Amino acid sequence: MSGNRVRRTDQHSATDGPTDPYGQLVSTGFGKLVAKRLGLPRPVTLRRFSLTDPLCDEPVLVAAIDAGGAVSADGGFLPSLLDRLHHLQIEVEGPDETTQPSANHAPPQLGGLVLDLSALRDPKSLGAFREIAAPAVKRLLPNARVVLIGTDPRTLTDPTAVATQQALTGIIRSLGKELRAGATANLVFAAIETDPASVANATEFFLSGRSAYVSGQVLRIDASAPRAQDRARPLTGQVAVVTGAARGIGAAIVEVLARDGATVVGVDVPAAGESLAKVVNAVHGTALPLDITDPSAGQQILDHCLARHQRLDIVVHNAGITRDKLLVNMDDAKWDQVIDVNLSAMLAINAALLAPATGEGLTDGARILCLSSQNGIAGARGQTNYAASKAGVIGLVEATAPLIADRGITINAVAPGFIETEMTARMPLAPREIGRRLNSLQQGGQPADVAETLAFLAQPGSQAITGQVLRICGQSLIGA
């Protein structure tokens, strides 16, 4: 499969280096030397998505292992992925093409490693994974990607098979912590009858710069067939609403959805009207100043979209607030405000958009995307109200997904970790530095990292992903 061409893309136009003073210091020659000698964290520049860059660095080693431990170049779910990589002109290396190192020749470094392990049903077969993965990991370039494909254990019944596939979660989470220099590792779990195109779509996301701050994560895919999409602008013709759109992560979401072809309606409180107008005007969208806790907020959003754009396809529940206090010192106002904005408003808006009295609302095949948080999974001191609201979002997503599946509507959440925003910039120095370093990538993420993941989940090709919570945290060491 491979030729003589090996392209390595060391420079990426959409790459952002560490923005904090420490990260910048250890990126310099002297700072790098000191950090190395003292064993200090050395965050590297992450490869982020750009329309003008290749999907990933090359070559990508692609292989499948069957139930007997035999390795092949195109087994399992791989044919669809291989077609996609060839279409994107990404150099692929097969398992039979690996060049053994010698005194005069070393094998080329790898931009990625994709292994289909979906056929494994016995723990002994995991040894075949180790045999091919161990030498491949040694060859990984900075910012390389490792993607494993497995069978969702929830779709299996034999205890031995379930145990074998569940073992992959331990592998991916440990491997993600072993990788260095911006490399990531993620796992795609497919239902038994999953369309290979859905697996290819998820694998492409994990190979790309869109997933720069996603590592050690498990993404489950059901058997729904993916919908066709324009590769360059997959959201063309769709109308998206983004709450909390005036700044930070919300503004980044507006920008990325518009870049991918969507017409965006930005929603934020009236007091943020000037900033909101600036954000949406930059992408030729429309602004809707609105307090989302207003009981009529959902209907107002729907009325605006139908009147101005005649449809509504994507809803991103990004708006959120914090009112931190230890539980023993928290008053009713701080508790109620956070629950109302972060959770109750989301529930009420969904109810209005999914069951309007007029019979018009979200289009069939629409996307509902919710912002949870790492703290909704792990908790945080002084944030019982916030953690409750974000854990509630996870429950909302899991409970709603089966209720709307018959209309082809999906609902998913992302759970960001430490993201560099105005809010985190105001944190005290010590907690801020701990938050930045306490993950496998040893740095904070960018608002664009959250936006890119949401845009992927919004794609027509992500139809088979629903009821999921995907962490965007650089594989934070806090929580699951």
Side-chain angles (χ1 to χ4, degrees):
M1 279 184 287
S2 64
N4 296 321
R5 179 176 64 93
V6 176
R7 181 177 65 199
R8 177 177 175 181
T9 51
D10 289 303
Q11 300 298 322
H12 300 271
S13 60
T15 293
D16 297 314
T19 58
D20 58 283
Y22 173 85
Q24 294 172 344
L25 174 64
V26 297
S27 296
T28 64
F30 176 74
K32 187 181 298 184
L33 177 63
V34 171
K36 182 177 180 180
R37 289 187 174 180
L38 296 179
L40 299 175
R42 288 184 293 156
V44 304
T45 298
L46 298 183
R47 173 173 63 84
R48 291 187 164 92
F49 180 77
S50 169
L51 290 172
T52 59
D53 286 338
L55 174 70
C56 58
D57 288 335
E58 305 175 72
V60 177
L61 174 57
V62 179
I65 302 175
D66 68 19
V71 179
S72 68
D74 57 359
F77 290 105
L78 293 184
S80 182
L81 173 65
L82 290 169
D83 286 346
R84 189 169 299 199
L85 293 177
H86 289 319
H87 175 75
L88 295 172
Q89 298 183 314
I90 298 298
E91 185 73 18
V92 173
E93 178 182 297
D96 56 334
E97 300 172 81
T98 301
T99 305
Q100 296 298 321
S102 66
N104 300 318
H105 180 82
Q109 291 181 283
L110 296 170
L113 170 66
V114 179
L115 296 178
D116 186 330
L117 310 177
S118 60
L120 303 189
R121 296 293 184 268
D122 188 288
K124 294 180 180 179
S125 62
L126 294 170
F129 154 77
R130 184 197 59 78
E131 289 178 5
I132 188 172
V137 168
K138 293 180 181 179
R139 299 168 54 198
L140 293 179
L141 288 162
N143 280 295
R145 301 288 193 261
V146 177
V147 185
L148 304 185
I149 301 169
T151 297
D152 190 341
R154 298 179 303 184
T155 64
L156 300 171
T157 57
D158 177 67
T160 301
V162 171
T164 303
Q165 286 297 315
Q166 189 66 33
L168 301 184
T169 65
I171 288 173
I172 208 67
R173 287 168 180 155
S174 296
L175 183 57
K177 294 175 181 178
E178 294 180 7
L179 298 179
R180 291 292 180 265
T184 64
N186 292 286
L187 170 62
V188 178
F189 264 152
I192 292 177
E193 299 299 327
T194 297
D195 189 314
S198 292
V199 177
N201 192 60
T203 304
E204 179 180 339
F205 165 71
F206 284 131
L207 286 173
S208 77
R210 286 184 183 269
S211 62
Y213 204 58
V214 180
S215 188
Q217 302 307 303
V218 179
L219 185 64
R220 299 178 189 274
I221 299 178
D222 66 28
S224 303
R227 291 154 49 203
Q229 64 183 38
D230 181 317
R231 293 197 58 80
R233 289 171 63 83
L235 304 182
T236 297
Q238 300 192 37
V239 176
V241 166
V242 180
T243 67
R247 61 188 177 89
I249 292 174
I253 296 168
V254 169
E255 180 181 355
V256 171
L257 293 182
R259 180 206 66 196
D260 283 0
T263 298
V264 183
V265 176
V267 176
D268 216 312
V269 293
E274 184 175 347
S275 297
L276 177 63
K278 182 178 180 181
V279 169
V280 297
N281 288 343
V283 299
H284 308 290
T286 59
L288 178 58
L290 175 67
D291 180 349
I292 61 168
T293 63
D294 186 317
S296 66
Q299 191 61 49
Q300 290 186 60
I301 289 171
L302 182 57
D303 291 345
H304 176 93
C305 291
L306 295 180
R308 298 291 296 271
H309 309 292
Q310 294 75 56
R311 60 187 296 134
L312 177 55
D313 305 279
I314 301 166
V315 178
V316 183
H317 293 290
N318 167 72
I321 62 171
T322 58
R323 298 289 186 269
D324 296 352
K325 281 286 183 181
L326 294 177
L327 179 62
V328 295
N329 298 325
M330 189 174 298
D331 58 30
D332 290 346
K334 286 184 172 60
W335 183 275
D336 292 343
Q337 287 171 2
V338 170
I339 298 296
D340 288 348
V341 173
N342 296 3
L343 182 58
S344 297
M346 194 181 299
L347 285 160
I349 290 172
N350 282 354
L353 299 182
L354 290 168
T358 60
E360 296 180 312
L362 281 172
T363 57
D364 289 352
R367 301 285 185 264
I368 302 174
L369 302 167
C370 309
L371 269 287
S372 180
S373 169
Q374 167 185 293
N375 291 346
I377 298 170
R381 187 175 187 273
Q383 287 197 328
T384 51
N385 52 356
Y386 183 79
S389 70
K390 295 303 184 178
V393 169
I394 296 172
L396 179 163
V397 166
E398 293 175 346
T400 304
L403 303 179
I404 57 180
D406 61 340
R407 293 183 53 192
I409 300 175
T410 67
I411 180 169
N412 294 286
V414 296
F418 189 98
I419 305 296
E420 302 282 357
T421 63
E422 293 178 10
M423 182 177 71
T424 56
R426 293 193 296 268
M427 293 172 62
L429 176 62
R432 186 169 68 242
E433 282 304 308
I434 291 171
R436 283 172 173 153
R437 310 306 161 205
L438 204 59
N439 62 75
S440 296
L441 297 177
Q442 302 179 325
Q443 60 189 287
Q446 299 295 323
D449 296 324
V450 180
E452 293 288 4
T453 302
L454 289 166
F456 156 69
L457 293 170
Q459 292 177 357
S462 297
Q463 183 66 41
I465 304 169
T466 192
Q468 301 292 295
V469 180
L470 191 60
R471 292 183 64 172
I472 310 168
C473 60
Q475 198 183 15
S476 174
L477 305 184
I478 299 175

